Each structure stands twice: as C-alpha cells, then as structure tokens.
Amino acid sequence: MAPVRGDGMRGLAVFISDIRNCKSKEAEVKRINKELANIRSKFKGDKTLDGYQKKKYVCKLLFIFLLGHDIDFGHMEAVNLLSSNKYSEKQIGYLFISVLVNTNSDLIRLIIQSIKNDLQSRNPVHVNLALQCIANIGSRDMAESFSNEIPKLLVSGDTMDVVKQSAALCLLRLFRSSPDIIPGGEWTSRIIHLLNDQHMGVVTAATSLIDALVKRNPDEYKGCVNLAVSRLSRIVTASYTDLQDYTYYFVPAPWLSVKLLRLLQNYNPVTEEPGVRARLNETLETILNKAQEPPKSKKVQHSNAKNAVLFEAINLIIHSDSEPNLLVRACNQLGQFLSNRETNLRYLALESMCHLATSEFSHEEVKKHQEVVILSMKMEKDVSVRQMAVDLLYAMCDRGNAEEIVQEMLNYLETADYSIREEMVLKVAILAEKYATDYTWYVDVILNLIRIAGDYVSEEVWYRVIQIVINREEVQGYAAKTVFEALQAPACHENMVKVGGYILGEFGNLIAGDSRSAPLVQFKLLHSKYHLCSPMTRALLLSTYIKFINLFPEIRSNIQEVFRQHSNLRSADAELQQRASEYLQLSIVASTDVLATVLEEMPSFPERESSILAVLKKKKPGRVPENEIRESKSPNPVSNHQNANSHHINSNSTASNKLNNSNAHADLLGLSTPPANNVGGSNSNSNSTLIDVLGDIYGTNNNANAAVYNTKKFLFKNNGVLFENEMLQIGVKSEFRQNLGRLGLFYGNKTQVPLTNFNPVLQWSTDEALKLNVQMKAVEPTLEAGAQIQQLLTAECIEDYADAPTIEISFRYNGTQQKFSIKLPLSVNKFFEPTEMNAESFFARWKNLSGEQQRSQKVFKAAQPLDLPGARNKLMGFGMQLLDQVDPNPDNMVCAGIIHTQSQQVGCLLRLEPNKQAQMFRLTIRASKETVTQVICDLLSDQF
C-alpha cells in the first residue's frame, strides 16, 4: 500500500486495503459489518470526535455505500461537517449529502440552512462547494429554497468569476427540473449581458444557460443574438495568442464558439438587422477561410477542434438557408472531406451534405460530387458511412439523375449489408415512383427489387406497384408480360408470386393471345409455385384462380380440380379449405353473367400520399425531407362494399383487405396527439403531472367526478392509472425480473386542501405472505393540495399463489374520514419469463403435459364482438411469449412461458382457439404444476 501523506486518512486506506484483500463475499460482508459496528459505537459513545475523525468515518460510510450496502446512520455527522472551516471536511460533508440524503429527510432544513450560510461566505471555495451540492441534488425543493440567492450571485458585480461560472451551471441544472426558477423582467437583460463578460469561463457557462432559456422562451431572450454574434466575431477574428488561457491547440475558444453557433440556430432567420447579419456572414466566411489554411499543428487535437467549429458553422449556414454564396462554399468544403483519411470526417461530411442537398441554392453543387458518393457507397469499410452515402444519394436525386442513381443502388443492393437493405429497398421504391417518366421503367425497378432483395421488400412496396398498375391502363399489359417472365425463374421469391398472382388475375387476358403465355400456361406456372408458399399467399392464388375462370372459361375444369383438392383435409388450413369450397361452388352454380359481375376488375384506387414514404420516415425520423413525393399521390384502395360478393373474393382478397386497411398507416410518423384532458380547474394540473409520470395519457378518465377502478387491465400492462375519484388519483409503475418485482404507487391529491392522516396499509395474510412476500415503505402522513407523493413496494414470489394483495387507504378530507381498498396489480402472471420455441418443441411439450392434473380448460362466450388482433395484443402483454406460425390454424393463438418462484420454475403453455361463427373461445392451459393451470385459466377466462 502506498504511504499516506499529508491529510490522507490512514484508517480509510487500511479499510479499503482490507476489503480488496477479502477472498470471498462473506469475508467482505463480515469486515464491513465489523467496521459499521465500530463507526456506530464511535458516533454514539464518543462525544469528543474532532472534525478529522468525523470526516474519516463519514468517508468510510460513503465507501461502504458505493460497494452496494445500505447506510442508515451518519447523516447528522455529515451535516455537522458542513459547518467546518476546513475545505476537506466541508467537501466530504457535501459529498455525503449529495449521494445519501433523501430530499424528504428530516435533516433537509438543517442542510439548506448550512448551504445558505456558505452561499453568503466570502470564501469562493465554500460558495462553490454549496453550489455543487445544490446542482447535484437538483430537486424542486432546492430550486424553491435558492430561487433568489443563485440568480443574485450570477449577476452581482461583487461575485468572483469562478463563482459566477458555478452559479450559471447550477442555475441551468435547477432550470431543467423547475423551469419557473428563472425570474423574468429585468433579470432577462442581466443574464443576456453575461455574454459580454470579460471572463471567458463565465461566458461559456452563461451560453449554456441562455441556450436552454432560449429553447423555452425564444422571444424573451432574442436580445442574445446581437451579443452572441459580436462575441463570436471577436473570437473568430482573434489570434490564438490573444486568448492564451482559452486556446486549445492553436484554436481560440473552440467550445465557446460551438456553443454560440448552436445558440444562434434557435432562431430562423437568425436576425432581421442588416448590420448584424452582415457581421455574422463575415464571421462564417472567416471560419470557412480558416479551414482552407494549412494546419498550425499536426496533432489530431488541433484538427478536431478546428473541424468542430467548422461543422457547427456549416450547420448554421444550412439552418439559415438564405445565403447562396455561403451554401456553395460550405458544399465545396465538405466535398474535400469526402476523400479525407479520417472516417469520422467522411461520415460528417456526408451527413451535412444530405441537408445541403435539400436547399435550392446548393442542390446542384451537391450533385457534382455524385461519383465520389457512389464510390463511398460501394467501397467504404465502415457500414455507417456506406449507409450515409445511400442517404445522400437519395437526397441529391432529381429527374436528371434518377435513373443512374436508382441503377447504382440496385447494383449495390446485391452485395449490401443486411442491416441497410430494407431501408435501401424503400428508398429505391420511392425514387422510382417519384421520378418515373415511363411507368414501364418503374415496374422493371420494383420487380428487380423483389428479385434481388425479396426478403426485404415490405408489404407496402408490393401493394404500391399493384396500385399503380391498376390505376394506369397504359402499363397493365407490360406489367402482366414482365411479371409472367419473372415467374419463370426456377427460384422465385414469394413476394414475386404475390405480385404475379394479383396482376395476372386482373390482366392475364392481355397477354393470353401469345401461345407462350396462354391461359393454361399462366395457370400451371402460378400453380407450380403454390406448394412453396405460405397460407396467405396460397389464399391469394386461389382468388387468382377463380378470376381465371371468369377470364378463361376454357380452363375451368383444371381449376375446379384444384379447388376440389384443397376443399378437403388435404389442406390443413381452415381458411384455405373454406375459400376453395366456396370458390368451387361459385364456379359450378353461378352463370357466366353472375361470374362476370362478381369477379369484375378491381376499380381504380383513390389518389393519396404514398404510404412507403411514411414507413421510411418512421424508420429514419428527421432524416427524410418533408417535401418528398408530395406531388406523386399514392393510390389507396377503396373500402367500399358496393358489390359485397365482388369484394368478398375480389381479386386476391389477402392483398385487398390489407390495402383497404392502409389508413392504419396514417400515423406511421407517430405524430398523433392524444385527446386533451378536460378536467376542470386545478385538478387538471395534478392530473397531468401524474399522467406524465405514468405515461398513460390515453387511458385516463377525463370525468373528474367518476370513480375509476379497474385492476383487471393491469393483467396486460405494468403502468397506468389504478384508481381515480374526485379526491385522489393513484397511478402505478412497475417492473419485474424473474421472481422479484418493484412497484411505485403515485398518490395525487386532486383537491384544494391537504389530505391528512394519509395512511396506506397492506392487507395480506401471514399464510399468503409465505407465497408472495410484499414490503411497503411508509409515506408522509400529509398529502398537500395538488401534490403527488410516491410509495415504493417490493415483491418476491416464493411460490405460486391465487389472489393478489390489497392496500387499504385511509385519510381525512375536510374533517371527514375516508377509507377504501384497492387490489394491487400483483397477479402471478407478472413473474412470467417469455419462452421462445418452435412448433415441434411446443407440441412435444404440450403432449408431455397431458395429465389430468396438468391441464385446465374453459369454453366461454366472447364478452364483446370477436377481436382477434385485440386478443393477440392482450396475450403479448400477459407476460408469455406469443408464438407465431406454430399452430396449424392461423387464428389460434399459442403462448409459452416460465413462472419464476423462489422454490421452483413452473413451465406453462397456453392455447386460445376462437370460433368466429359461435363468437366463442376455448382456452386451454397446461403447466407442470396443477395449481398454476387453474389460476392462469381463471385470470384469462373473462378477458376476451
């Protein structure tokens, strides 16, 4: 161990050494307990402890806490250290308080008084320690207690510079937790004028604070623009020798420059004053000029600092988008970085050029670098740089270079990284549609996409090509011919089969005159792919076959034979059986005229914005230009039922149904806002606070006078409003891991008066506690008007149980005693771990759990009209793993999971079988423990 010098605490060093030398966890715990007992006895027995000894023991407690052990004493001794005049003792006291003292502690008033004393001290070190403590705690109580002192310290002429720096950063920390702490009026001007301070450290800290204030209230702080431009100009034009203390590798004040440039980006336009705008443009030109100068140092720190300022300046130029000269210069500068050795610089250059490509002033300049960008897409070693090159090609594309860029992206797609293929497919599809002058080219591009990267072609893409072909008569024959040729390939992707089935079912007659694509040839070609496809695609092909009977009566017998084969047990899928049976009867019973009416061509889809762009925006929010593809409206299929029979089977019902639901994609950008709360008066404030904490905005009852209590919904969710009436709102937020759980209960007072004698009590019998051990922390007895408090609970599942604990809440409201009970959302399913398994493993396990005691089954009527997607969502929230493509019937839902208890792990399987005709469900639970099957079955049987 190194020798201890000066003010070093030898006892602390020895203790740390002992801990490090422990050979086992038990030895470490034993040594810690011994030390805790020693410290406790010293604090209780020895009233003459000096500051050094208190500091040493408090340090030991801090170290023990950092090792993960709870500390429940020593707080008063730490508070006593705050009154010391020695820096080291005061520092340790503040450190202990920052880390270990709860804001609800009884000692908080003493702490606040000690901090106030230090804030008034003439010793700047003591003032800084106090400010750091306030910022570290950063609570609303701290903000309210020091809302007057800290702003005064910040703007006072007597305050030392180092204290002003700390005051600005402390105020920024408190502003983030309590935005109302910053006074307005004359204070605004005084804070803004800190940008003129002589001390660069004060200006740097003040810029961070002002940037946060501007984001919240830009109009009030607009006066900062002139001062920021002036200060930035002085920094940029200064020699590195003028700002020696703030020069970093020959770059004057790079961090402050970056902060000022970001501050100016909060306004657009930055300024309306011609003189200020001219000075800003001159400053930006100076930054661009300096980037062209030879480096003053070969060290990487110099280039990093210089480029940081340059890129932020370019961001400001792009943000303003009003100076053609600066935009062109910025583009040329970025073009030089495309060939730089530094990967990060190439990435940043590509990213900035993506934004420049959207400006009318610099778009043509960006296009000059097209060849280099294509080379980057193909040759870069770093996949993130290649992806950024793809983004730039997408952004720079226009009618003049669309075909070349799309072809290059298609060529690269064959060898592209799997991580970027899906996004590339979407971008190629959007570009091909937006800039197609000839829709035969568009059809070729999409079919090439499916051939090259079929697995990454989303449903929206192949829906889209079908929409366009149906809406444009001139391309229908070409599309049928091209897709017929594509289907002749030995290996054909399933998406190609879907497109082929749909288009040939509608327009196969346009190519039937050629003997090479005669009706029977078309039918045999499609049917040769049938056995390789999923049930969904098979259903689409059966719809194509019934269309063929209308288009080509001469092959009716061939198609009817296929329908006969698939209308019986040869097809394990009930949907396919039913579809084949109905189509067979339709082809036998219906006359030619009836068939022609029922199986008429799909009508044109109404024009609307492309859903593919919405998908891309969802994948890359903020990276897709907002004006993309606006002029090329996306057809959306009609959802009419003008001919019920026609639309029951009309041309590929699988695709039709999904296309009809494409309004579901209307909010793919995630921009919808929840309905506004209509709770009146002050209640709305407390309501919104609680709801914001819980993230359960949509589920809130807006009627303040109605009591809301629905614990059943928490079977499928962990967060939300558990109970609400006109006085109280109780929210819950919980998390679970294996057999352990943690709940936070949020009690919100919705009234104008305090709720006194507030006392939640756990109602859980001793016998039940042996199965589920629940511990609940106490809360304050008074819940102030409009306030909210949190209560933490921990739960440990020891063995499976049937019921859930209850809390009884009592309080006095306006002198009247109130009491009610609420069941906690702690059902046994909360301790599920989802389990993945394939069909073979599932049914093997299902068969093994076939004993009478291992299964439970219920058949029940659906509580509401059968909602299979809703049932799937509920099962996904129940805690088990919903297994897709396991059950032969796609309507059936199967799940698997393991319930973790302290004593054992209980495997559990679930099968939910809906009967659409009878509007009923059959629920079967199989588990390795009898009691679990019955409990899970009872929990779920009334939920669908």
Side-chain angles (χ1 to χ4, degrees):
M1 185 178 68
V4 179
R5 298 194 191 96
D7 197 34
M9 292 170 280
R10 183 172 183 80
L12 175 64
V14 170
F15 174 59
I16 293 174
S17 178
D18 289 348
I19 294 295
R20 287 177 176 170
N21 292 332
C22 288
K23 303 297 184 186
S24 64
K25 183 69 176 174
E26 292 74 17
E28 178 184 309
V29 171
K30 185 178 179 181
R31 178 69 182 89
I32 286 172
N33 288 337
K34 178 182 176 183
E35 191 63 39
L36 286 173
N38 176 53
I39 298 172
R40 198 186 297 269
S41 67
K42 291 287 186 183
F43 284 167
K44 283 186 176 179
D46 193 347
K47 303 298 183 183
T48 61
L49 286 178
D50 60 17
Y52 167 78
Q53 289 173 311
K54 286 180 182 178
K55 177 183 71 171
K56 178 178 69 175
Y57 292 134
V58 168
C59 268
K60 287 183 178 180
L61 291 177
L62 260 175
F63 179 70
I64 292 169
F65 175 77
L66 295 176
L67 290 176
H69 300 269
D70 289 334
I71 300 297
D72 56 3
F73 68 99
H75 300 74
M76 193 63 204
E77 285 72 17
V79 173
N80 290 337
L81 287 174
L82 300 186
S83 59
S84 171
N85 286 323
K86 286 189 177 181
Y87 169 78
S88 61
E89 293 172 10
K90 191 181 288 284
Q91 180 197 33
I92 295 300
Y94 274 125
L95 182 60
F96 186 94
I97 287 165
S98 300
V99 174
L100 275 162
V101 173
N102 191 304
T103 52
N104 296 325
S105 169
D106 296 334
L107 298 173
I108 201 71
R109 290 184 181 177
L110 284 174
I111 294 168
I112 288 174
Q113 187 56 49
S114 296
I115 293 175
K116 284 188 175 181
N117 292 339
D118 281 337
L119 287 179
Q120 294 167 6
S121 169
R122 292 188 174 278
N123 187 336
V125 174
H126 293 178
V127 180
N128 271 353
L129 281 174
L131 289 170
Q132 288 166 15
C133 180
I134 295 169
N136 284 336
I137 296 174
S139 66
R140 187 167 187 84
D141 289 338
M142 284 290 176
E144 291 171 353
S145 300
F146 300 104
S147 57
N148 293 325
E149 287 86 346
I150 299 175
K152 284 180 182 176
L153 273 177
L154 179 60
V155 299
S156 171
D158 299 331
T159 307
M160 295 182 67
D161 292 332
V162 290
V163 175
K164 279 188 177 181
Q165 283 180 261
S166 298
L169 296 176
C170 180
L171 202 56
L172 173 60
R173 172 68 179 86
L174 295 179
F175 173 74
R176 288 170 178 164
S177 60
S178 305
D180 53 346
I181 187 179
I182 306 291
E186 62 174 313
W187 290 94
T188 300
S189 174
R190 298 175 74 178
I191 291 173
I192 288 173
H193 275 83
L194 290 171
L195 293 175
N196 267 343
D197 198 279
Q198 296 298 314
H199 193 275
M200 297 292 283
V202 174
V203 179
T204 305
T207 304
S208 297
L209 174 62
I210 293 169
D211 186 49
L213 295 172
V214 164
K215 283 180 168 62
R216 182 172 178 85
N217 195 345
D219 291 336
E220 185 174 355
Y221 290 88
K222 195 161 188 178
C224 71
V225 171
N226 293 0
L227 297 180
V229 171
S230 175
R231 174 64 80 169
L232 180 65
S233 174
R234 294 204 301 271
I235 294 171
V236 169
T237 55
S239 167
Y240 67 88
T241 56
D242 297 339
L243 298 170
Q244 287 186 354
D245 291 341
Y246 286 86
T247 295
Y248 180 78
Y249 287 87
F250 304 100
V251 182
W255 287 278
L256 177 55
S257 300
V258 168
K259 285 175 184 286
L260 290 169
L261 288 163
R262 286 183 180 169
L263 173 60
L264 294 172
Q265 289 174 52
N266 290 306
Y267 295 98
N268 195 10
V270 175
T271 179
E272 302 286 355
E273 298 178 29
V276 178
R277 189 188 307 127
R279 188 170 186 182
L280 176 60
N281 291 343
E282 182 183 339
T283 303
L284 293 173
E285 283 185 359
T286 304
I287 294 174
L288 292 174
N289 290 337
K290 284 190 173 183
Q292 301 289 341
E293 295 174 1
K296 294 182 173 64
S297 171
K298 293 183 178 179
K299 292 191 175 181
V300 68
Q301 291 93 334
H302 171 71
S303 60
N304 284 346
K306 189 176 175 182
N307 291 329
V309 177
L310 173 64
F311 275 102
E312 207 56 56
I314 290 174
N315 286 340
L316 178 57
I317 292 169
I318 295 170
H319 172 79
S320 301
D321 195 23
S322 58
E323 298 294 332
N325 180 48
L326 286 175
L327 286 162
V328 170
R329 286 200 60 188
C331 183
N332 293 335
Q333 180 63 54
L334 292 171
Q336 296 176 22
F337 287 137
L338 294 180
S339 305
N340 196 283
R341 290 184 307 168
E342 285 289 325
T343 304
N344 289 339
L345 276 181
R346 296 197 299 275
Y347 179 90
L348 291 170
L350 290 166
E351 184 180 40
S352 297
M353 289 181 84
C354 283
H355 298 296
L356 280 172
T358 62
S359 169
E360 59 177 318
F361 301 119
S362 53
H363 182 80
E364 290 300 321
E365 286 296 319
V366 173
K367 283 172 61 178
K368 293 178 181 178
H369 303 282
Q370 180 176 316
E371 291 184 11
V372 180
V373 178
I374 290 172
L375 203 61
S376 296
M377 177 182 71
K378 294 178 178 179
M379 309 297 292
E380 275 287 351
K381 293 180 181 179
D382 191 315
V383 64
S384 61
V385 182
R386 294 199 295 274
Q387 183 165 5
M388 192 53 66
V390 171
D391 289 349
L392 179 52
L393 286 173
Y394 174 78
M396 70 166 63
C397 191
D398 58 22
R399 295 199 183 278
N401 58 6
E403 291 196 20
E404 183 182 354
I405 286 178
V406 166
Q407 190 57 50
E408 290 289 353
M409 292 174 78
L410 279 174
N411 294 342
Y412 174 61
L413 193 55
E414 298 193 46
T415 56
D417 295 79
Y418 295 116
S419 59
I420 64 174
R421 285 193 183 184
E422 184 177 359
E423 187 183 325
M424 283 192 69
V425 166
L426 290 172
K427 287 181 172 175
V428 169
I430 290 170
L431 293 178
E433 177 185 345
K434 183 177 181 184
Y435 298 116
T437 53
D438 178 2
Y439 275 96
T440 58
W441 173 73
Y442 170 75
V443 170
D444 288 338
V445 169
I446 301 300
L447 295 184
N448 262 332
L449 269 183
I450 297 173
R451 178 183 59 79
I452 294 169
D455 289 337
Y456 300 91
V457 174
S458 63
E459 291 180 334
E460 287 80 9
V461 175
W462 73 264
Y463 291 171
R464 182 65 179 149
V465 70
I466 287 170
Q467 294 168 3
I468 286 178
V469 169
I470 286 176
N471 282 21
R472 288 167 177 78
E473 191 174 340
E474 70 276 10
V475 81
Q476 290 167 357
Y478 180 81
K481 176 175 177 294
T482 308
V483 80
F484 175 78
E485 292 171 353
L487 286 171
Q488 291 175 336
C492 189
H493 195 274
E494 188 168 340
N495 280 339
M496 186 71 80
V497 178
K498 291 176 182 176
V499 175
Y502 204 113
I503 290 178
L504 291 179
E506 295 293 327
F507 311 113
N509 59 311
L510 300 179
I511 60 171
D514 191 331
S515 59
R516 293 170 296 180
S517 54
L520 188 58
V521 176
Q522 290 185 40
F523 169 69
K524 287 183 176 179
L525 178 60
L526 280 175
H527 198 56
S528 66
K529 315 291 183 185
Y530 184 91
H531 66 288
L532 301 171
C533 297
S534 66
M536 231 174 185
T537 307
R538 292 182 183 185
L540 187 149
L541 289 177
L542 289 177
S543 296
T544 299
Y545 299 164
I546 191 68
K547 283 274 188 173
F548 275 178
I549 289 181
N550 179 46
L551 293 176
F552 315 120
E554 63 270 27
I555 61 171
R556 178 191 297 258
S557 58
N558 305 74
I559 295 173
Q560 287 177 338
E561 182 58 34
V562 171
F563 288 155
R564 288 190 185 94
Q565 291 173 359
H566 292 87
S567 62
N568 53 35
L569 293 178
R570 175 171 177 176
S571 175
D573 191 289
E575 165 68 20
L576 294 181
Q577 283 188 34
Q578 181 179 355
R579 191 175 289 230
S581 300
E582 291 178 359
Y583 287 173
L584 176 61
Q585 289 305 309
L586 181 65
S587 67
I588 294 172
V589 173
S591 66
T592 306
D593 291 342
V594 171
L595 271 180
T597 303
V598 171
L599 303 172
E600 63 185 352
E601 279 187 16
M602 281 289 286
S604 294
F605 297 112
E607 297 288 325
R608 65 169 48 207
E609 191 174 320
S610 172
S611 59
I612 306 178
L613 183 63
V615 176
L616 181 60
K617 284 181 177 178
K618 186 180 180 184
K619 289 178 66 64
K620 301 289 282 289
R623 294 274 287 279
V624 182
E626 286 297 324
N627 59 352
E628 284 294 334
I629 215 165
R630 290 270 169 92
E631 69 262 24
S632 176
K633 296 292 184 180
S634 164
N636 214 23
V638 290
S639 56
N640 62 52
H641 293 277
Q642 59 198 11
N643 187 330
N645 289 331
S646 170
H647 276 77
H648 174 65
I649 52 177
N650 201 346
S651 181
N652 321 326
S653 62
T654 306
S656 305
N657 293 339
K658 292 201 174 183
L659 289 169
N660 286 338
N661 291 329
S662 61
N663 282 340
H665 295 297
D667 192 39
L668 280 174
L669 296 179
L671 297 178
S672 72
T673 53
N677 270 350
N678 295 325
V679 181
S682 62
N683 289 353
S684 61
N685 293 334
S686 57
N687 243 12
S688 60
T689 304
L690 180 62
I691 300 308
D692 184 57
V693 169
L694 298 172
D696 190 35
I697 303 173
Y698 294 95
T700 307
N701 188 307
N702 289 335
N703 185 353
N705 296 316
V708 179
Y709 173 47
N710 180 13
T711 191
K712 281 285 190 180
K713 69 181 181 180
F714 286 92
L715 284 174
F716 312 109
K717 58 191 287 189
N718 287 337
N719 307 330
V721 176
L722 180 62
F723 172 88
E724 184 172 9
N725 63 12
E726 69 278 4
M727 293 176 286
L728 188 69
Q729 183 188 61
I730 305 175
V732 64
K733 194 169 187 178
S734 56
E735 59 180 350
F736 298 87
R737 182 172 299 170
Q738 296 191 345
N739 71 317
L740 301 176
R742 183 169 61 180
L743 281 80
L745 294 178
F746 298 85
Y747 303 103
N749 182 355
K750 297 172 61 177
T751 71
Q752 298 297 310
V753 297
L755 305 181
T756 58
N757 297 340
F758 191 82
N759 186 28
V761 178
L762 182 68
Q763 304 289 329
W764 195 229
S765 69
T766 308
D767 292 340
E768 294 289 357
L770 296 175
K771 298 179 180 179
L772 178 71
N773 180 21
V774 180
Q775 300 292 330
M776 188 163 72
K777 289 191 175 182
V779 294
E780 293 291 328
T782 302
L783 181 53
E784 297 294 342
Q788 176 181 288
I789 58 174
Q790 178 183 3
Q791 184 174 39
L792 293 177
L793 291 84
T794 57
E796 180 181 15
C797 182
I798 299 166
E799 60 178 276
D800 61 280
Y801 56 97
D803 203 0
T806 299
I807 53 169
E808 184 181 82
I809 299 169
S810 60
F811 56 88
R812 294 186 71 82
Y813 168 64
N814 276 344
T816 307
Q817 186 68 23
Q818 306 285 337
K819 182 185 288 188
F820 47 83
S821 296
I822 297 174
K823 198 173 285 291
L824 289 173
L826 272 175
S827 46
V828 72
N829 67 295
K830 297 297 182 183
F831 301 99
F832 261 123
E833 178 187 357
T835 306
E836 280 281 5
M837 56 177 68
N838 56 28
E840 183 181 353
S841 303
F842 178 86
F843 285 109
R845 181 74 175 148
W846 185 266
K847 189 174 181 182
N848 290 338
L849 297 172
S850 57
E852 196 64 35
Q853 307 299 323
Q854 295 176 313
R855 63 183 179 184
S856 180
Q857 188 175 86
K858 282 192 178 183
V859 178
F860 52 89
K861 191 82 173 174
Q864 49 198 356
L866 219 59
D867 178 13
L868 296 189
R872 285 178 60 86
N873 288 337
K874 286 186 175 182
L875 289 178
M876 284 191 284
F878 190 65
M880 304 176 76
Q881 181 67 48
L882 185 62
L883 305 174
D884 291 321
Q885 299 179 346
V886 168
D887 198 294
N889 186 343
D891 286 343
N892 292 349
M893 288 157 264
V894 295
C895 301
I898 296 172
I899 293 178
H900 285 272
T901 70
Q902 188 185 75
S903 54
Q904 68 179 117
Q905 295 183 358
V906 183
C908 187
L909 302 178
L910 175 152
R911 192 179 195 187
L912 184 65
E913 301 166 272
N915 184 326
K916 294 179 181 177
Q917 287 75 25
Q919 292 288 300
M920 297 186 76
F921 285 101
R922 180 168 67 185
L923 174 67
T924 309
I925 306 293
R926 297 194 180 187
S928 54
K929 192 172 182 182
E930 174 188 357
T931 50
V932 170
T933 61
Q934 193 59 49
V935 169
I936 300 298
C937 202
D938 290 343
L939 283 175
L940 286 173
S941 57
D942 61 348
Q943 294 301 307
F944 301 101

